[in-house]
Amino acid sequence: MAEESNPIKDYLFDYIKNSQTIPELISKKKFDVVINEIIQHCYDKIILMDKKDVAVGVLATGLLHYLLTNALLNSQRKIECQGIELDIIIPDIKTLEKDPKMALLICIPKYSDKRIIEEKIEQLEKIQPIKENIWIVLSENIKLDKKTFVLSKQDSSFSKIIFEIAQFSNVGGANKFKILRV
């Protein structure tokens, strides 16, 4: 899929590119600090650029893609499987098809309607039968029967997602290089 330009993504990557602190934080693998810094400096601006759920979804997707790349964790983004678009899959679609317990799906809905999110989860469960290997990133806290991360300015659990992904990869053995020790 061709990558379309998006003002939220552009703003995020301009902020990262112009940051004096992010390169050093990345080199020290302080991904939670990077996430918190970006949320503190970008959140208010990006939620004015689109509907809040959409803006937060674009921010979460861009930030996750950037951090997964820098954490040297294999992932695929915006890929289709059995007619369903997947936001992020770790490590890749081949692993999911061959050994679902070694694959993690991260769903980043751009809406807060619990019913619609649960329908999306049902679709994902047809592809990923290991239900605990489906994680959801939300713009607000919604009670779901899944591991969820909230990206918001107050009470953001999203900052821990990279370490939890690394733990998942290291425990499962999918991260052959064990670059990110947790």
Side-chain angles (χ1 to χ4, degrees):
M1 282 182 216
E3 198 60 43
E4 70 284 349
S5 182
N6 180 296
I8 295 167
K9 224 183 318 176
D10 295 344
Y11 184 81
L12 167 66
F13 288 110
D14 283 345
Y15 178 81
I16 290 170
K17 185 175 74 177
N18 295 318
S19 170
Q20 304 296 306
T21 56
I22 289 177
E24 185 180 341
L25 292 169
I26 292 286
S27 73
K28 293 179 177 175
K29 304 210 179 308
K30 294 188 174 191
F31 302 111
D32 56 333
V33 179
V34 171
I35 291 169
N36 287 331
E37 178 180 322
I38 288 170
I39 290 171
Q40 289 309 307
H41 291 94
C42 298
Y43 185 86
D44 291 335
K45 173 94 169 128
I46 68 104
I47 61 168
L48 299 174
M49 296 174 152
D50 208 325
K51 286 188 236 141
K52 179 184 161 202
D53 296 332
V54 173
V56 169
V58 171
L59 177 64
T61 304
L63 191 49
L64 254 181
H65 184 65
Y66 172 76
L67 292 173
L68 288 168
T69 301
N70 281 287
L72 302 175
L73 292 167
N74 290 336
S75 65
Q76 289 180 310
R77 185 169 74 74
K78 296 258 186 249
I79 190 164
E80 199 171 289
C81 180
Q82 299 175 23
I84 299 168
E85 186 177 299
L86 306 177
D87 295 317
I88 296 178
I89 181 165
I90 298 165
D92 54 37
I93 204 87
K94 279 187 200 141
T95 303
L96 175 64
E97 291 167 346
K98 204 167 53 184
D99 190 0
K101 74 178 180 305
M102 303 296 281
L104 178 63
L105 292 183
I106 299 177
C107 176
I108 307 171
K110 293 179 177 74
Y111 37 81
S112 291
D113 184 319
K114 184 176 180 175
R115 188 183 49 77
I116 297 172
I117 294 169
E118 287 173 338
E119 287 172 12
K120 176 70 174 184
I121 291 169
E122 280 180 36
Q123 287 182 322
L124 295 175
E125 287 175 343
K126 292 175 185 161
I127 298 169
Q128 173 49 288
I130 313 297
K131 295 181 183 349
E132 57 272 10
N133 289 7
I134 300 172
W135 296 357
I136 315 295
V137 175
L138 301 164
S139 62
E140 59 189 58
N141 200 355
I142 298 172
K143 190 89 177 109
L144 296 169
D145 190 26
K146 293 283 171 231
K147 178 175 247 176
T148 59
F149 296 88
V150 177
L151 194 163
S152 68
K153 201 159 180 185
Q154 304 78 25
D155 195 32
S156 183
S157 57
F158 185 73
S159 61
K160 300 292 178 219
I161 195 167
I162 294 296
F163 292 109
E164 295 212 23
I165 291 169
Q167 254 178 334
F168 171 86
S169 297
N170 286 341
V171 167
N175 186 358
K176 294 173 189 70
F177 303 108
K178 301 280 191 264
I179 290 179
L180 193 61
R181 298 254 181 234
V182 286

